[in-house]
């Protein structure tokens, strides 16, 4: 395959990852606990088992997409693809 085709494929993949990253970040809940943190209500079952919840999955997915975003950004800004 020519470098133009590879660069086009990587660029399309980059755009898909960008859109997915924005969507995943917008789906996450805020980190503020409000006044519940003062009384100790912030430490609940859901905060202790966050890794198994849907919020934990979104956090892991955000990290993966962010790493891919940075790697593809570096790949596209260098002359490795021609």
């Amino acid at each position: 395959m020519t470098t133009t085709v590879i660069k086009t494929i990587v660029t399309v993949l980059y755009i898909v990852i960008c859109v997915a990253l924005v969507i995943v970040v917008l789906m996450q809940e805020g980190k503020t606990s409000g006044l519940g943190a003062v009384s100790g209500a912030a430490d609940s079952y859901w905060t202790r088992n966050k890794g198994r919840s849907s919020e934990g999955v979104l956090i892991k997915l955000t990290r993966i997409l962010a790493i891919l975003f940075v790697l593809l950004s570096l790949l596209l800004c260098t002359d490795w693809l021609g």
Side-chain angles (χ1 to χ4, degrees):
M1 290 179 19
T2 64
T3 57
T4 308
V5 174
I6 294 173
K7 191 168 186 173
T8 304
I9 292 171
V10 171
T11 304
V12 169
L13 182 64
Y14 181 71
I15 292 170
V16 169
I17 288 175
C18 290
V19 171
L21 186 60
V22 168
I23 290 171
V24 169
V25 167
L26 289 176
M27 287 176 57
Q28 293 181 10
E29 296 177 6
K31 300 292 182 202
T32 58
S33 300
L35 292 175
V38 175
S39 64
D43 189 28
S44 65
Y45 174 79
W46 297 111
T47 58
R48 285 179 279 162
N49 294 315
K50 187 177 267 191
R52 295 184 209 124
S53 67
S54 62
E55 184 69 22
V57 171
L58 288 175
I59 291 172
K60 290 177 186 175
L61 190 58
T62 303
R63 289 180 183 155
I64 292 169
L65 288 173
I67 290 169
L68 288 174
F69 173 78
V70 170
L71 291 176
L72 285 178
S73 296
L74 292 173
L75 183 67
L76 287 171
C77 77
T78 59
D79 289 332
W80 290 346
L81 297 177

